[in-house]
Amino acid sequence: PVGGGARTTERVQAVLVIDPGVDVDAIVRQANAQLQDHQRVRAAAVWQGELPRTDGTRKLKRRELKAWLAGQAPATQATSAGGGMSAVLQRFAPGRAITPSTTIEELGLSSLERVELMLAIEETFDVTVDETRFAAATTVADLDALTRGPDATAPAALQSAELFESPSWNRSGLARAARRLSLPTWILPPTRAFMRIDVRGLENLRTLQGPVIFAANHQSHLDTPAILRALPPRWRYRVAPAMLKEFFTAHFHPDQFDLRRRLTSSFSYYLASLFFTAFPLPQREAGARHALRYIGEIVESGYSVLIFPEGKRTDAGEIIEFQPGVGMIASRLSVPVVPVRLEGFERILHRSWKWPSRGVGRVTFGARMSFSGNNYASIAREIEQAVREL
């Protein structure tokens, strides 16, 4: 794979050497079925002859391939799919053969790219796209139906999708009072028995006015309590942590689970929402723009947001790639970002453990950062680098 494409962010593009008659799209579909969102092939081009390699080590000359791709016409031309819809989709999957029956899954778009696609459709066709119907769209023809207005006939699947709930009750006066009473008395104090915290960088918060986005690396289930303990009181009670929506699948999709799993998941979800002001953030496509809008509501109500852009806890305290969603949130909502570095918490409660052990963790707050533009991956990399340097 070679990063390339006409857009400002890099995408995975495959350069293929194939036998005559081989279906390029079939190869890409088969590969994408085994890859994660950020790994999926967005475009493919066919190279004639042997790929360029160095003389000694026989390594691929990636720069030469990338330069060739930059000036290469699409390997396969898109066919008409709902007027200008194919042109819109070509921006996200250049060089792919697109027909009305092409599925969204075949295009290999990440969750963030699906949100960007929805916004692009709105701008191109001057329509407001219903996110519920967009989340349920499975083919290019379904997307085309979204541009024909609310009276258009849409597939049955588009009528049945439901977006997940976004709690607002946990910002009510009663919920705030419960949190103000509970956090300093019986929720955070017990963590002192096994977790001592070395807090650094508080000077970066003294003159800072909220709300902000706290963007932290992710090591343990103790990360959120540790950050709340480290924050001064004026910040602590006005922070809303994002929690992985898929962690509460049994709550959001109860028909797929038994009663015990449903009750356990719902109980955990409501406790987290009440006592931590936590809210669900999907890692996959459905509801991503809905979540973005909800984060905007949180910020407008005066709450800062705590996000773990890696999307998962790491094994040995290492920092892995920050997902571009944090860049999109920071840029589109024009909210300052405060990078947060966590160290040592995987040695207190590793993700494979059920019980914590005694230890010392460090929480370091960095200086605020501000972003604009739509190069979300680049913004995420800047935030990641800032966290690494703390």
Side-chain angles (χ1 to χ4, degrees):
V2 179
R7 305 183 69 217
T8 55
T9 55
E10 288 198 345
R11 305 182 184 284
V12 179
Q13 180 160 346
V15 177
L16 305 176
V17 177
I18 60 176
D19 294 329
V22 173
D23 187 342
V24 173
D25 263 9
I27 294 175
V28 173
R29 285 195 300 271
Q30 183 178 2
N32 283 342
Q34 305 173 52
L35 298 172
Q36 298 180 13
D37 276 356
H38 67 282
Q39 299 172 323
R40 288 178 173 173
V41 177
R42 305 302 193 256
V46 176
W47 181 277
Q48 302 296 330
E50 184 180 355
L51 290 170
R53 297 179 182 274
T54 59
D55 293 333
T57 60
R58 303 296 295 165
K59 290 183 179 179
L60 282 176
K61 295 182 178 179
R62 292 178 176 270
R63 288 188 179 180
E64 185 173 328
L65 287 172
K66 190 171 183 178
W68 175 75
L69 286 171
Q72 169 75 357
T76 54
Q77 298 298 323
T79 56
S80 176
M85 184 61 68
S86 63
V88 175
L89 290 170
Q90 280 290 313
R91 293 163 50 190
F92 296 85
R96 298 293 304 282
I98 300 173
T99 69
S101 61
T102 299
T103 67
I104 312 303
E105 189 68 23
E106 287 174 351
L107 297 178
L109 305 184
S110 67
S111 57
L112 180 63
E113 286 176 318
R114 296 189 189 215
V115 176
E116 292 185 75
L117 171 61
M118 179 164 53
L119 299 177
I121 291 174
E122 290 184 331
E123 293 171 1
T124 302
F125 296 97
D126 194 24
V127 296
T128 298
V129 174
D130 181 84
E131 188 178 3
T132 303
R133 296 176 67 206
F134 180 86
T138 58
T139 67
V140 173
D142 294 342
L143 292 180
D144 188 44
L146 301 179
T147 68
R148 296 197 291 267
D151 297 328
T153 302
L158 300 185
Q159 309 292 344
S160 61
E162 296 181 0
L163 293 176
F164 60 90
E165 61 182 276
S166 296
S168 57
W169 55 268
N170 60 356
R171 301 195 304 277
S172 66
L174 185 60
R176 292 200 307 271
R179 201 156 42 246
R180 191 83 187 208
L181 175 66
S182 301
L183 282 177
T185 56
W186 63 272
I187 293 180
L188 295 181
T191 64
R192 299 179 187 275
F194 53 84
M195 180 172 64
R196 188 161 61 87
I197 302 176
D198 174 19
V199 183
R200 303 186 181 188
L202 288 178
E203 65 275 7
N204 291 312
L205 303 180
R206 289 196 185 109
T207 60
L208 182 61
Q209 299 298 316
V212 301
I213 297 171
F214 291 104
N217 58 309
H218 203 6
Q219 298 182 328
S220 166
H221 278 315
L222 293 174
D223 292 350
T224 295
I227 291 174
L228 291 179
R229 272 183 52 186
L231 283 170
R234 77 178 182 94
W235 291 97
R236 181 181 304 142
Y237 302 105
R238 304 289 287 185
V239 172
M243 54 185 176
L244 184 65
K245 174 179 177 281
E246 286 78 7
F247 185 79
F248 302 94
T249 299
H251 169 75
F252 290 102
H253 303 284
D255 55 312
Q256 301 175 16
F257 298 88
D258 58 33
L259 179 61
R260 178 177 172 276
R261 290 285 301 277
R262 296 200 303 267
L263 291 177
T264 301
S265 181
S266 294
F267 183 68
S268 300
Y269 172 77
Y270 287 118
L271 281 182
S273 297
L274 174 60
F275 293 115
F276 291 98
T277 331
F279 65 95
L281 187 66
Q283 194 171 43
R284 291 181 285 275
E285 68 279 1
R289 190 179 71 168
H290 175 76
L292 179 65
R293 187 183 303 115
Y294 177 71
I295 292 173
E297 294 176 7
I298 293 175
V299 170
E300 287 179 0
S301 64
Y303 281 76
S304 294
V305 176
L306 171 59
I307 295 178
F308 300 98
E310 292 166 304
K312 63 180 181 179
R313 292 164 288 158
T314 54
D315 281 315
E318 72 276 17
I319 296 177
I320 60 177
E321 181 183 7
F322 278 23
Q323 299 302 306
V326 67
M328 182 177 189
I329 293 169
S331 177
R332 283 198 165 268
L333 298 182
S334 298
V335 181
V337 174
V338 173
V340 183
R341 175 72 181 265
L342 301 175
E343 298 174 88
F345 294 98
E346 83 286 355
R347 297 191 296 270
I348 301 175
L349 181 59
H350 191 270
R351 68 188 188 95
S352 64
W353 301 349
K354 292 185 178 181
W355 300 101
S357 62
R358 292 178 61 84
V360 179
R362 177 180 296 169
V363 179
T364 305
F365 298 99
R368 61 166 284 173
M369 309 172 71
S370 297
F371 300 97
S372 61
N374 61 2
N375 195 338
Y376 307 131
S378 176
I379 294 173
R381 286 194 296 269
E382 288 189 49
I383 298 173
E384 177 190 332
Q385 186 60 32
V387 171
R388 288 180 181 273
E389 293 175 355
L390 291 175

PDB file of all heavy atoms in Angstrom, residues 218-248:
ATOM      1  N   HIS A 218      -4.350   6.200  26.552  1.00  0.00           N
ATOM      2  CA  HIS A 218      -5.247   5.306  27.305  1.00  0.00           C
ATOM      3  C   HIS A 218      -4.501   4.062  27.758  1.00  0.00           C
ATOM      4  O   HIS A 218      -3.994   3.295  26.941  1.00  0.00           O
ATOM      5  CB  HIS A 218      -6.418   4.911  26.401  1.00  0.00           C
ATOM      6  CG  HIS A 218      -7.648   4.479  27.138  1.00  0.00           C
ATOM      7  ND1 HIS A 218      -7.774   4.547  28.512  1.00  0.00           N
ATOM      8  CD2 HIS A 218      -8.827   3.954  26.679  1.00  0.00           C
ATOM      9  CE1 HIS A 218      -8.971   4.112  28.860  1.00  0.00           C
ATOM     10  NE2 HIS A 218      -9.618   3.743  27.772  1.00  0.00           N
ATOM     11  N   GLN A 219      -4.455   3.841  29.088  1.00  0.00           N
ATOM     12  CA  GLN A 219      -3.721   2.720  29.634  1.00  0.00           C
ATOM     13  C   GLN A 219      -4.565   1.767  30.464  1.00  0.00           C
ATOM     14  O   GLN A 219      -4.278   0.565  30.529  1.00  0.00           O
ATOM     15  CB  GLN A 219      -2.566   3.230  30.517  1.00  0.00           C
ATOM     16  CG  GLN A 219      -1.528   4.055  29.777  1.00  0.00           C
ATOM     17  CD  GLN A 219      -0.390   4.483  30.685  1.00  0.00           C
ATOM     18  OE1 GLN A 219      -0.565   4.711  31.871  1.00  0.00           O
ATOM     19  NE2 GLN A 219       0.810   4.571  30.111  1.00  0.00           N
ATOM     20  N   SER A 220      -5.614   2.283  31.124  1.00  0.00           N
ATOM     21  CA  SER A 220      -6.307   1.484  32.126  1.00  0.00           C
ATOM     22  C   SER A 220      -7.720   2.005  32.338  1.00  0.00           C
ATOM     23  O   SER A 220      -8.048   3.139  31.987  1.00  0.00           O
ATOM     24  CB  SER A 220      -5.514   1.545  33.447  1.00  0.00           C
ATOM     25  OG  SER A 220      -6.264   1.068  34.531  1.00  0.00           O
ATOM     26  N   HIS A 221      -8.559   1.167  32.975  1.00  0.00           N
ATOM     27  CA  HIS A 221      -9.882   1.629  33.393  1.00  0.00           C
ATOM     28  C   HIS A 221      -9.782   2.672  34.497  1.00  0.00           C
ATOM     29  O   HIS A 221     -10.788   3.317  34.832  1.00  0.00           O
ATOM     30  CB  HIS A 221     -10.726   0.446  33.883  1.00  0.00           C
ATOM     31  CG  HIS A 221     -11.369  -0.330  32.767  1.00  0.00           C
ATOM     32  ND1 HIS A 221     -12.002   0.292  31.701  1.00  0.00           N
ATOM     33  CD2 HIS A 221     -11.496  -1.664  32.552  1.00  0.00           C
ATOM     34  CE1 HIS A 221     -12.482  -0.627  30.880  1.00  0.00           C
ATOM     35  NE2 HIS A 221     -12.186  -1.815  31.366  1.00  0.00           N
ATOM     36  N   LEU A 222      -8.599   2.842  35.059  1.00  0.00           N
ATOM     37  CA  LEU A 222      -8.385   3.845  36.101  1.00  0.00           C
ATOM     38  C   LEU A 222      -8.045   5.217  35.533  1.00  0.00           C
ATOM     39  O   LEU A 222      -7.895   6.179  36.289  1.00  0.00           O
ATOM     40  CB  LEU A 222      -7.257   3.402  37.040  1.00  0.00           C
ATOM     41  CG  LEU A 222      -7.532   2.167  37.900  1.00  0.00           C
ATOM     42  CD1 LEU A 222      -6.285   1.769  38.664  1.00  0.00           C
ATOM     43  CD2 LEU A 222      -8.685   2.434  38.869  1.00  0.00           C
ATOM     44  N   ASP A 223      -7.914   5.327  34.233  1.00  0.00           N
ATOM     45  CA  ASP A 223      -7.478   6.581  33.622  1.00  0.00           C
ATOM     46  C   ASP A 223      -8.415   7.740  33.951  1.00  0.00           C
ATOM     47  O   ASP A 223      -7.970   8.833  34.319  1.00  0.00           O
ATOM     48  CB  ASP A 223      -7.361   6.425  32.104  1.00  0.00           C
ATOM     49  CG  ASP A 223      -6.222   5.505  31.702  1.00  0.00           C
ATOM     50  OD1 ASP A 223      -5.413   5.153  32.582  1.00  0.00           O
ATOM     51  OD2 ASP A 223      -6.143   5.142  30.521  1.00  0.00           O
ATOM     52  N   THR A 224      -9.730   7.524  33.803  1.00  0.00           N
ATOM     53  CA  THR A 224     -10.679   8.604  34.068  1.00  0.00           C
ATOM     54  C   THR A 224     -10.666   9.018  35.537  1.00  0.00           C
ATOM     55  O   THR A 224     -10.554  10.219  35.839  1.00  0.00           O
ATOM     56  CB  THR A 224     -12.092   8.211  33.625  1.00  0.00           C
ATOM     57  OG1 THR A 224     -12.117   8.055  32.193  1.00  0.00           O
ATOM     58  CG2 THR A 224     -13.105   9.280  34.016  1.00  0.00           C
ATOM     59  N   PRO A 225     -10.766   8.075  36.505  1.00  0.00           N
ATOM     60  CA  PRO A 225     -10.658   8.498  37.906  1.00  0.00           C
ATOM     61  C   PRO A 225      -9.341   9.201  38.218  1.00  0.00           C
ATOM     62  O   PRO A 225      -9.318  10.158  39.006  1.00  0.00           O
ATOM     63  CB  PRO A 225     -10.774   7.173  38.683  1.00  0.00           C
ATOM     64  CG  PRO A 225     -11.526   6.273  37.780  1.00  0.00           C
ATOM     65  CD  PRO A 225     -11.088   6.648  36.398  1.00  0.00           C
ATOM     66  N   ALA A 226      -8.246   8.746  37.600  1.00  0.00           N
ATOM     67  CA  ALA A 226      -6.944   9.373  37.848  1.00  0.00           C
ATOM     68  C   ALA A 226      -6.938  10.820  37.365  1.00  0.00           C
ATOM     69  O   ALA A 226      -6.451  11.724  38.060  1.00  0.00           O
ATOM     70  CB  ALA A 226      -5.844   8.581  37.159  1.00  0.00           C
ATOM     71  N   ILE A 227      -7.475  11.073  36.176  1.00  0.00           N
ATOM     72  CA  ILE A 227      -7.506  12.439  35.643  1.00  0.00           C
ATOM     73  C   ILE A 227      -8.423  13.322  36.483  1.00  0.00           C
ATOM     74  O   ILE A 227      -8.105  14.479  36.770  1.00  0.00           O
ATOM     75  CB  ILE A 227      -7.943  12.421  34.165  1.00  0.00           C
ATOM     76  CG1 ILE A 227      -6.849  11.772  33.306  1.00  0.00           C
ATOM     77  CG2 ILE A 227      -8.240  13.832  33.668  1.00  0.00           C
ATOM     78  CD1 ILE A 227      -7.240  11.568  31.862  1.00  0.00           C
ATOM     79  N   LEU A 228      -9.561  12.781  36.914  1.00  0.00           N
ATOM     80  CA  LEU A 228     -10.464  13.560  37.754  1.00  0.00           C
ATOM     81  C   LEU A 228      -9.805  13.916  39.083  1.00  0.00           C
ATOM     82  O   LEU A 228      -9.963  15.037  39.584  1.00  0.00           O
ATOM     83  CB  LEU A 228     -11.763  12.781  37.994  1.00  0.00           C
ATOM     84  CG  LEU A 228     -12.670  12.596  36.776  1.00  0.00           C
ATOM     85  CD1 LEU A 228     -13.903  11.794  37.156  1.00  0.00           C
ATOM     86  CD2 LEU A 228     -13.070  13.938  36.181  1.00  0.00           C
ATOM     87  N   ARG A 229      -9.073  12.966  39.667  1.00  0.00           N
ATOM     88  CA  ARG A 229      -8.352  13.268  40.901  1.00  0.00           C
ATOM     89  C   ARG A 229      -7.282  14.328  40.686  1.00  0.00           C
ATOM     90  O   ARG A 229      -7.025  15.166  41.548  1.00  0.00           O
ATOM     91  CB  ARG A 229      -7.716  11.989  41.457  1.00  0.00           C
ATOM     92  CG  ARG A 229      -8.612  11.181  42.379  1.00  0.00           C
ATOM     93  CD  ARG A 229      -7.886   9.975  42.941  1.00  0.00           C
ATOM     94  NE  ARG A 229      -6.602  10.326  43.564  1.00  0.00           N
ATOM     95  CZ  ARG A 229      -5.735   9.432  44.013  1.00  0.00           C
ATOM     96  NH1 ARG A 229      -5.995   8.132  43.891  1.00  0.00           N
ATOM     97  NH2 ARG A 229      -4.607   9.806  44.576  1.00  0.00           N
ATOM     98  N   ALA A 230      -6.649  14.296  39.527  1.00  0.00           N
ATOM     99  CA  ALA A 230      -5.563  15.235  39.245  1.00  0.00           C
ATOM    100  C   ALA A 230      -6.069  16.640  38.954  1.00  0.00           C
ATOM    101  O   ALA A 230      -5.355  17.628  39.200  1.00  0.00           O
ATOM    102  CB  ALA A 230      -4.738  14.725  38.065  1.00  0.00           C
ATOM    103  N   LEU A 231      -7.281  16.760  38.455  1.00  0.00           N
ATOM    104  CA  LEU A 231      -7.813  18.072  38.072  1.00  0.00           C
ATOM    105  C   LEU A 231      -8.207  18.895  39.294  1.00  0.00           C
ATOM    106  O   LEU A 231      -8.734  18.363  40.275  1.00  0.00           O
ATOM    107  CB  LEU A 231      -9.042  17.902  37.180  1.00  0.00           C
ATOM    108  CG  LEU A 231      -8.796  17.524  35.716  1.00  0.00           C
ATOM    109  CD1 LEU A 231     -10.109  17.150  35.044  1.00  0.00           C
ATOM    110  CD2 LEU A 231      -8.116  18.670  34.957  1.00  0.00           C
ATOM    111  N   PRO A 232      -7.978  20.206  39.256  1.00  0.00           N
ATOM    112  CA  PRO A 232      -8.488  21.093  40.316  1.00  0.00           C
ATOM    113  C   PRO A 232     -10.021  21.038  40.337  1.00  0.00           C
ATOM    114  O   PRO A 232     -10.660  20.748  39.319  1.00  0.00           O
ATOM    115  CB  PRO A 232      -7.991  22.476  39.884  1.00  0.00           C
ATOM    116  CG  PRO A 232      -6.840  22.203  38.962  1.00  0.00           C
ATOM    117  CD  PRO A 232      -7.180  20.926  38.259  1.00  0.00           C
ATOM    118  N   PRO A 233     -10.631  21.317  41.494  1.00  0.00           N
ATOM    119  CA  PRO A 233     -12.103  21.216  41.622  1.00  0.00           C
ATOM    120  C   PRO A 233     -12.875  21.991  40.569  1.00  0.00           C
ATOM    121  O   PRO A 233     -13.929  21.552  40.123  1.00  0.00           O
ATOM    122  CB  PRO A 233     -12.364  21.758  43.041  1.00  0.00           C
ATOM    123  CG  PRO A 233     -11.108  21.440  43.785  1.00  0.00           C
ATOM    124  CD  PRO A 233      -9.995  21.616  42.784  1.00  0.00           C
ATOM    125  N   ARG A 234     -12.381  23.157  40.161  1.00  0.00           N
ATOM    126  CA  ARG A 234     -13.160  23.962  39.191  1.00  0.00           C
ATOM    127  C   ARG A 234     -13.267  23.268  37.843  1.00  0.00           C
ATOM    128  O   ARG A 234     -14.155  23.588  37.049  1.00  0.00           O
ATOM    129  CB  ARG A 234     -12.560  25.357  39.044  1.00  0.00           C
ATOM    130  CG  ARG A 234     -11.308  25.450  38.187  1.00  0.00           C
ATOM    131  CD  ARG A 234     -10.846  26.906  38.088  1.00  0.00           C
ATOM    132  NE  ARG A 234      -9.672  27.080  37.239  1.00  0.00           N
ATOM    133  CZ  ARG A 234      -9.744  27.388  35.955  1.00  0.00           C
ATOM    134  NH1 ARG A 234     -10.917  27.528  35.373  1.00  0.00           N
ATOM    135  NH2 ARG A 234      -8.637  27.549  35.243  1.00  0.00           N
ATOM    136  N   TRP A 235     -12.383  22.318  37.553  1.00  0.00           N
ATOM    137  CA  TRP A 235     -12.455  21.526  36.334  1.00  0.00           C
ATOM    138  C   TRP A 235     -13.132  20.183  36.582  1.00  0.00           C
ATOM    139  O   TRP A 235     -13.861  19.689  35.725  1.00  0.00           O
ATOM    140  CB  TRP A 235     -11.038  21.278  35.784  1.00  0.00           C
ATOM    141  CG  TRP A 235     -10.348  22.472  35.244  1.00  0.00           C
ATOM    142  CD1 TRP A 235      -9.440  23.274  35.884  1.00  0.00           C
ATOM    143  CD2 TRP A 235     -10.508  23.032  33.939  1.00  0.00           C
ATOM    144  NE1 TRP A 235      -9.023  24.289  35.082  1.00  0.00           N
ATOM    145  CE2 TRP A 235      -9.662  24.161  33.860  1.00  0.00           C
ATOM    146  CE3 TRP A 235     -11.273  22.697  32.830  1.00  0.00           C
ATOM    147  CZ2 TRP A 235      -9.563  24.953  32.728  1.00  0.00           C
ATOM    148  CZ3 TRP A 235     -11.177  23.482  31.687  1.00  0.00           C
ATOM    149  CH2 TRP A 235     -10.330  24.597  31.636  1.00  0.00           C
ATOM    150  N   ARG A 236     -12.865  19.591  37.734  1.00  0.00           N
ATOM    151  CA  ARG A 236     -13.254  18.196  37.996  1.00  0.00           C
ATOM    152  C   ARG A 236     -14.743  17.944  37.809  1.00  0.00           C
ATOM    153  O   ARG A 236     -15.136  16.903  37.274  1.00  0.00           O
ATOM    154  CB  ARG A 236     -12.843  17.826  39.421  1.00  0.00           C
ATOM    155  CG  ARG A 236     -13.160  16.386  39.817  1.00  0.00           C
ATOM    156  CD  ARG A 236     -12.733  16.139  41.241  1.00  0.00           C
ATOM    157  NE  ARG A 236     -11.329  16.444  41.428  1.00  0.00           N
ATOM    158  CZ  ARG A 236     -10.822  17.017  42.510  1.00  0.00           C
ATOM    159  NH1 ARG A 236     -11.624  17.359  43.513  1.00  0.00           N
ATOM    160  NH2 ARG A 236      -9.525  17.248  42.606  1.00  0.00           N
ATOM    161  N   TYR A 237     -15.560  18.887  38.254  1.00  0.00           N
ATOM    162  CA  TYR A 237     -17.004  18.648  38.239  1.00  0.00           C
ATOM    163  C   TYR A 237     -17.675  19.139  36.952  1.00  0.00           C
ATOM    164  O   TYR A 237     -18.891  19.129  36.846  1.00  0.00           O
ATOM    165  CB  TYR A 237     -17.645  19.310  39.462  1.00  0.00           C
ATOM    166  CG  TYR A 237     -17.056  18.794  40.758  1.00  0.00           C
ATOM    167  CD1 TYR A 237     -16.164  19.563  41.493  1.00  0.00           C
ATOM    168  CD2 TYR A 237     -17.378  17.511  41.212  1.00  0.00           C
ATOM    169  CE1 TYR A 237     -15.605  19.064  42.663  1.00  0.00           C
ATOM    170  CE2 TYR A 237     -16.827  17.017  42.386  1.00  0.00           C
ATOM    171  CZ  TYR A 237     -15.930  17.798  43.105  1.00  0.00           C
ATOM    172  OH  TYR A 237     -15.383  17.297  44.264  1.00  0.00           O
ATOM    173  N   ARG A 238     -16.864  19.567  35.998  1.00  0.00           N
ATOM    174  CA  ARG A 238     -17.411  20.017  34.714  1.00  0.00           C
ATOM    175  C   ARG A 238     -16.715  19.310  33.562  1.00  0.00           C
ATOM    176  O   ARG A 238     -16.432  19.901  32.532  1.00  0.00           O
ATOM    177  CB  ARG A 238     -17.252  21.540  34.578  1.00  0.00           C
ATOM    178  CG  ARG A 238     -17.867  22.354  35.680  1.00  0.00           C
ATOM    179  CD  ARG A 238     -19.372  22.338  35.641  1.00  0.00           C
ATOM    180  NE  ARG A 238     -19.906  23.132  34.555  1.00  0.00           N
ATOM    181  CZ  ARG A 238     -21.208  23.348  34.360  1.00  0.00           C
ATOM    182  NH1 ARG A 238     -22.093  22.801  35.175  1.00  0.00           N
ATOM    183  NH2 ARG A 238     -21.625  24.071  33.344  1.00  0.00           N
ATOM    184  N   VAL A 239     -16.429  18.025  33.740  1.00  0.00           N
ATOM    185  CA  VAL A 239     -15.784  17.223  32.700  1.00  0.00           C
ATOM    186  C   VAL A 239     -16.697  16.064  32.316  1.00  0.00           C
ATOM    187  O   VAL A 239     -17.230  15.365  33.192  1.00  0.00           O
ATOM    188  CB  VAL A 239     -14.420  16.672  33.174  1.00  0.00           C
ATOM    189  CG1 VAL A 239     -13.858  15.694  32.152  1.00  0.00           C
ATOM    190  CG2 VAL A 239     -13.441  17.804  33.395  1.00  0.00           C
ATOM    191  N   ALA A 240     -16.863  15.842  31.015  1.00  0.00           N
ATOM    192  CA  ALA A 240     -17.669  14.733  30.504  1.00  0.00           C
ATOM    193  C   ALA A 240     -16.767  13.777  29.731  1.00  0.00           C
ATOM    194  O   ALA A 240     -16.318  14.110  28.638  1.00  0.00           O
ATOM    195  CB  ALA A 240     -18.787  15.251  29.600  1.00  0.00           C
ATOM    196  N   PRO A 241     -16.446  12.609  30.284  1.00  0.00           N
ATOM    197  CA  PRO A 241     -15.590  11.651  29.576  1.00  0.00           C
ATOM    198  C   PRO A 241     -16.380  10.886  28.510  1.00  0.00           C
ATOM    199  O   PRO A 241     -17.546  10.538  28.704  1.00  0.00           O
ATOM    200  CB  PRO A 241     -15.119  10.692  30.690  1.00  0.00           C
ATOM    201  CG  PRO A 241     -15.556  11.332  31.983  1.00  0.00           C
ATOM    202  CD  PRO A 241     -16.733  12.174  31.653  1.00  0.00           C
ATOM    203  N   ALA A 242     -15.723  10.638  27.394  1.00  0.00           N
ATOM    204  CA  ALA A 242     -16.317   9.794  26.346  1.00  0.00           C
ATOM    205  C   ALA A 242     -16.073   8.335  26.705  1.00  0.00           C
ATOM    206  O   ALA A 242     -14.981   7.961  27.131  1.00  0.00           O
ATOM    207  CB  ALA A 242     -15.698  10.117  24.992  1.00  0.00           C
ATOM    208  N   MET A 243     -17.092   7.510  26.544  1.00  0.00           N
ATOM    209  CA  MET A 243     -16.942   6.080  26.781  1.00  0.00           C
ATOM    210  C   MET A 243     -17.315   5.340  25.509  1.00  0.00           C
ATOM    211  O   MET A 243     -18.212   5.742  24.770  1.00  0.00           O
ATOM    212  CB  MET A 243     -17.806   5.614  27.953  1.00  0.00           C
ATOM    213  CG  MET A 243     -19.280   5.953  27.872  1.00  0.00           C
ATOM    214  SD  MET A 243     -20.170   5.472  29.374  1.00  0.00           S
ATOM    215  CE  MET A 243     -21.822   6.107  29.019  1.00  0.00           C
ATOM    216  N   LEU A 244     -16.611   4.263  25.239  1.00  0.00           N
ATOM    217  CA  LEU A 244     -16.811   3.512  24.008  1.00  0.00           C
ATOM    218  C   LEU A 244     -18.219   2.938  23.949  1.00  0.00           C
ATOM    219  O   LEU A 244     -18.623   2.151  24.807  1.00  0.00           O
ATOM    220  CB  LEU A 244     -15.779   2.379  23.927  1.00  0.00           C
ATOM    221  CG  LEU A 244     -15.774   1.548  22.650  1.00  0.00           C
ATOM    222  CD1 LEU A 244     -15.379   2.404  21.451  1.00  0.00           C
ATOM    223  CD2 LEU A 244     -14.805   0.377  22.793  1.00  0.00           C
ATOM    224  N   LYS A 245     -18.988   3.355  22.959  1.00  0.00           N
ATOM    225  CA  LYS A 245     -20.376   2.899  22.841  1.00  0.00           C
ATOM    226  C   LYS A 245     -20.454   1.386  22.713  1.00  0.00           C
ATOM    227  O   LYS A 245     -21.336   0.745  23.289  1.00  0.00           O
ATOM    228  CB  LYS A 245     -21.036   3.569  21.631  1.00  0.00           C
ATOM    229  CG  LYS A 245     -22.437   3.059  21.321  1.00  0.00           C
ATOM    230  CD  LYS A 245     -23.018   3.791  20.134  1.00  0.00           C
ATOM    231  CE  LYS A 245     -24.387   3.229  19.769  1.00  0.00           C
ATOM    232  NZ  LYS A 245     -24.255   1.970  19.004  1.00  0.00           N
ATOM    233  N   GLU A 246     -19.502   0.805  21.970  1.00  0.00           N
ATOM    234  CA  GLU A 246     -19.549  -0.638  21.744  1.00  0.00           C
ATOM    235  C   GLU A 246     -19.334  -1.445  23.027  1.00  0.00           C
ATOM    236  O   GLU A 246     -19.667  -2.629  23.075  1.00  0.00           O
ATOM    237  CB  GLU A 246     -18.502  -1.024  20.700  1.00  0.00           C
ATOM    238  CG  GLU A 246     -18.867  -0.632  19.267  1.00  0.00           C
ATOM    239  CD  GLU A 246     -18.639   0.841  18.972  1.00  0.00           C
ATOM    240  OE1 GLU A 246     -18.065   1.551  19.829  1.00  0.00           O
ATOM    241  OE2 GLU A 246     -19.034   1.308  17.884  1.00  0.00           O
ATOM    242  N   PHE A 247     -18.787  -0.815  24.079  1.00  0.00           N
ATOM    243  CA  PHE A 247     -18.606  -1.497  25.360  1.00  0.00           C
ATOM    244  C   PHE A 247     -19.956  -1.801  25.994  1.00  0.00           C
ATOM    245  O   PHE A 247     -20.081  -2.721  26.809  1.00  0.00           O
ATOM    246  CB  PHE A 247     -17.766  -0.621  26.296  1.00  0.00           C
ATOM    247  CG  PHE A 247     -17.412  -1.268  27.601  1.00  0.00           C
ATOM    248  CD1 PHE A 247     -16.376  -2.181  27.682  1.00  0.00           C
ATOM    249  CD2 PHE A 247     -18.124  -0.961  28.751  1.00  0.00           C
ATOM    250  CE1 PHE A 247     -16.052  -2.782  28.881  1.00  0.00           C
ATOM    251  CE2 PHE A 247     -17.811  -1.554  29.958  1.00  0.00           C
ATOM    252  CZ  PHE A 247     -16.761  -2.471  30.025  1.00  0.00           C
ATOM    253  N   PHE A 248     -20.978  -1.033  25.608  1.00  0.00           N
ATOM    254  CA  PHE A 248     -22.319  -1.200  26.171  1.00  0.00           C
ATOM    255  C   PHE A 248     -23.294  -1.734  25.119  1.00  0.00           C
ATOM    256  O   PHE A 248     -24.459  -1.346  25.084  1.00  0.00           O
ATOM    257  CB  PHE A 248     -22.828   0.135  26.732  1.00  0.00           C
ATOM    258  CG  PHE A 248     -21.944   0.725  27.793  1.00  0.00           C
ATOM    259  CD1 PHE A 248     -20.967   1.662  27.468  1.00  0.00           C
ATOM    260  CD2 PHE A 248     -22.076   0.349  29.115  1.00  0.00           C
ATOM    261  CE1 PHE A 248     -20.150   2.205  28.436  1.00  0.00           C
ATOM    262  CE2 PHE A 248     -21.263   0.882  30.097  1.00  0.00           C
ATOM    263  CZ  PHE A 248     -20.291   1.810  29.763  1.00  0.00           C
TER     264      PHE A 248
END
